[in-house]
Amino acid sequence: MSFNIVKNDKKRVIIVGGGFGGLKLANKLKKSGFQVVLVDKNNYHQFPPLIYQVASAGLEPSSISFPFRKIFQKRKDFYFRMAEVRAIFPEKKMIQTSIGKAEYDYLVLAAGTTSNFFGNEHIEEEAMPMKTVSEAMGLRNALLANFERSITCSTERERQELLNVVVVGGGATGVEIAGVLSEMKKFVLPNDYPDMPSSLMHIYLIEAGDRLLAGMSEDSSRHAEQFLREMGVNILLNKRVTDYKDHKVMLEDGTEIATRTFIWVSGVAAITFGNIDGELLGRGRRIKVDEFNRVQGTDTIFAIGDQCIQTTDKNYPNGHPQLAQVAIQQGELLAKNLQRLQKGKPMQPFHYRNLGSMATVGRNRAVAEFSSFKTAGWLAWVMWLVVHLRSILGVRNKANVLLNWVWNYFTYDQSLRMIVYAKKAKEVRDREELEAKTHWGEETQTQQPNG
């Protein structure tokens, strides 16, 4: 396999990751005089803030995803390759990927994060994460399958395990998934499963800290907790999950909660590559960068978004929050800085402009805070809807999401509750097996590329 991209007289920028930051950078480099190569393990951009709605059967995955090749149609000097980065070789200005090697003039790491299980391998194996569209689809199937089985199981113990839902992590994602599951219990279960009392379903939200939404103000945390408790969610604060055995979530204080729907959204860790120096990694495995988002100790490698940590901003000495706006602003500035480098001009340092933060809890319930004011309830909910609808890529996707939201609001119903397990074609399975064997073979050899 090979990248099959001819190196021309233009300098090549390879962007690893097509999230908010990588996509913004690629768009801003249009007509910049660079040859731009975007590398991502998926062939589509996904919209993480609405992944929880896919997991709860509120939206189809296609409504919050958009193919990269559609975004960059008719774009000159732009190439997309679906691949995973395996190693980086700064001295050769080269990356090793699942489809071969590629040389670069500038490399930008924007691969984002993955779920953080804090070293607990057993929980990682057992829990259901919700970081990607594919993980959300897996959770949706498991949730709906558990509902179906709960009306045919033979024991009350198994039924309760199937109907108890445990969400670990009191950040925005945990609050949002707990809220939407509560609405599912109230509006969906009585209609879809009339022979099963919806009161048997219990939703638990577990947070190791002393409040929800730790990244927001105490007022917003208090409002979110109040909303969720009113919606029937069991909130457990200052509780740490230690294990999951025999369909039971084990807490540090000895408490056990029976469940077969164990959802883990308790933090993230940056994606790393095989041969990256451990000294370059900071908190949460984030790559250390300077004020220009340049990886420390390098001249041509940059990192943006959730994958990097910058401690030079006096307002954020411990690093910027891992939010979409940080990645977008870093991607936009880096595009300008790369062009300034081309012209022999000095780069401009990055300073984050905090545009506010928000989280939705449920119908007519949300919290939002900006530099000038804070609000909670219906107004915050409407603002959340507008901001997220505007941010979705594609007119068709915006229309689909808006139609779904309007329909759900007035009918209290969703029509997407199908259990569908995708089966890979034999050709794809064989290719993945071959690539996996090749990858393991490469790891047993030297870390240096040939030639």
Side-chain angles (χ1 to χ4, degrees), residues 8 55-56 70 77 81 102 128 215 220 254 264 280 369 426:
N8 55 27
S56 58
K70 179 69 173 176
D77 295 316
R81 292 295 182 264
M128 301 178 193
S220 295
W264 186 273
L280 291 177
E369 52 189 48
K426 183 177 184 300

Side-chain angles (χ1 to χ4, degrees), residues 426-437:
K426 183 177 184 300
E427 168 65 23
V428 176
R429 297 198 306 270
D430 291 345
R431 183 165 63 242
E432 289 179 345
E433 289 177 4
L434 178 60
E435 289 176 353
K437 291 179 181 178

Side-chain angles (χ1 to χ4, degrees), residues 112-311:
T113 60
T114 187
S115 297
N116 191 352
F117 295 93
F118 304 99
N120 194 317
E121 295 181 0
H122 188 247
I123 287 182
E124 183 174 359
E125 181 181 348
E126 297 286 346
M128 301 178 193
M130 198 181 64
K131 194 74 178 63
T132 65
V133 169
S134 59
E135 289 175 346
M137 287 297 296
L139 174 55
R140 184 176 89 171
N141 285 336
L143 188 66
L144 296 176
N146 284 352
F147 287 158
E148 294 295 336
R149 185 175 176 84
S150 69
I151 60 175
T152 60
C153 63
S154 57
T155 68
E156 288 301 319
R157 175 182 175 180
E158 182 182 3
R159 178 175 289 109
Q160 199 59 67
E161 291 173 352
L162 292 163
L163 292 177
N164 282 350
V165 178
V166 175
V167 181
V168 181
T173 304
V175 166
E176 289 166 351
I177 189 63
V180 78
L181 289 175
S182 175
E183 291 185 334
M184 181 180 283
K185 170 185 175 180
K186 182 176 180 180
F187 300 117
V188 173
L189 260 63
N191 293 322
D192 280 15
Y193 304 92
D195 50 342
M196 180 187 71
S198 59
S199 59
L200 294 177
M201 181 180 179
H202 299 286
I203 303 163
Y204 298 87
L205 178 58
I206 303 176
E207 166 57 36
D210 59 359
R211 65 185 180 96
L212 304 177
L213 300 177
M216 300 182 72
S217 68
E218 292 188 7
D219 286 342
S220 295
S221 298
R222 185 173 62 255
H223 283 299
E225 181 178 348
Q226 178 183 344
F227 289 149
L228 287 173
R229 291 193 186 278
E230 290 173 352
M231 297 166 70
V233 176
N234 301 292
I235 299 175
L236 305 179
L237 300 176
N238 296 305
K239 301 289 185 180
R240 190 178 301 276
V241 174
T242 58
D243 210 345
Y244 179 75
K245 296 179 181 178
D246 302 322
H247 302 129
K248 294 176 183 173
V249 174
M250 323 289 288
L251 303 183
E252 196 172 44
D253 62 3
T255 306
E256 299 177 353
I257 304 175
T259 184
R260 299 198 182 195
T261 309
F262 178 33
I263 304 173
W264 186 273
V265 289
S266 182
V268 295
I271 290 176
T272 59
F273 308 111
N275 68 336
I276 195 166
D277 189 344
E279 293 184 358
L280 291 177
L281 303 181
R283 182 169 52 88
R285 300 207 306 256
R286 297 161 74 179
I287 300 172
K288 298 176 183 177
V289 298
D290 62 17
E291 65 269 30
F292 310 112
N293 281 97
R294 184 171 47 196
V295 175
Q296 293 182 5
T298 70
D299 294 322
T300 58
I301 303 178
F302 299 81
I304 60 176
D306 294 350
Q307 199 173 11
C308 77
I309 182 166
Q310 181 187 119
T311 57

Side-chain angles (χ1 to χ4, degrees), residues 66-132:
F66 207 80
F68 290 122
R69 295 192 180 277
K70 179 69 173 176
I71 298 172
F72 298 104
Q73 278 183 352
K74 302 179 181 178
R75 170 87 170 265
K76 292 183 179 180
D77 295 316
F78 176 87
Y79 299 87
F80 169 74
R81 292 295 182 264
M82 190 171 75
E84 291 187 65
V85 174
R86 301 268 171 80
I88 302 171
F89 304 100
E91 68 281 0
K92 293 181 176 287
K93 291 189 175 182
M94 179 185 294
I95 60 171
Q96 173 72 51
T97 76
S98 55
I99 62 171
K101 303 180 182 72
E103 296 179 347
Y104 63 83
D105 291 293
Y106 297 107
L107 176 64
V108 181
L109 306 177
T113 60
T114 187
S115 297
N116 191 352
F117 295 93
F118 304 99
N120 194 317
E121 295 181 0
H122 188 247
I123 287 182
E124 183 174 359
E125 181 181 348
E126 297 286 346
M128 301 178 193
M130 198 181 64
K131 194 74 178 63
T132 65

